[in-house]
Amino acid sequence: MLKLTNVSKSYAGGKVRAVDDITLHVKRGEIFGFIGPNGAGKTTTIKMICGILQPDSGSIEINGFDVRRDPIQAKKSIGYVPDNHEVYERLTGLEYLNFIGDIY
């Protein structure tokens, strides 16, 4: 279960609103996808769900766990494959090897 309630995120000191007050509830067993043009806030929303970015306002729950208050439990319920390599650059060599081993 994924629940976003009044989630917003801005950049450039609040001048650019990337995500504007989104409320969404994906129930267990449902399949949901984000479709839209570049700049619509898809990646920003996904990064907030994963805990990579913090929303300016609102709340995000994954299987009943709040992403801000209980990030470890929330993250145990999801998987995230980035569309670029920036996540891998933050890992040490050993962390990368462990990560690849876990995936395998």
Side-chain angles (χ1 to χ4, degrees), residues 1-7 22-28 30 32 34 45 48-49 55 57-68 74 78:
M1 186 270 306
L2 174 64
K3 186 175 182 182
L4 285 75
T5 306
N6 303 114
V7 174
I22 185 173
T23 296
L24 168 71
H25 186 193
V26 181
K27 298 174 186 165
R28 186 175 304 278
E30 288 184 326
F32 180 84
F34 288 104
T45 301
M48 287 189 292
I49 291 168
S57 62
S59 65
I60 300 171
E61 291 182 15
I62 301 170
N63 286 337
F65 297 105
D66 186 281
V67 173
R68 286 188 193 186
I78 61 172

Side-chain angles (χ1 to χ4, degrees), residues 55-99:
D56 297 336
S57 62
S59 65
I60 300 171
E61 291 182 15
I62 301 170
N63 286 337
F65 297 105
D66 186 281
V67 173
R68 286 188 193 186
R69 289 192 310 258
D70 203 353
I72 302 300
Q73 286 302 115
K75 289 175 185 177
K76 285 182 178 182
S77 299
I78 61 172
Y80 171 67
V81 178
D83 59 351
N84 57 41
H85 56 82
E86 69 186 34
V87 170
Y88 308 118
E89 292 175 356
R90 296 181 182 180
L91 301 177
T92 66
L94 183 58
E95 289 171 334
Y96 178 75
L97 291 174
N98 286 329
F99 174 70

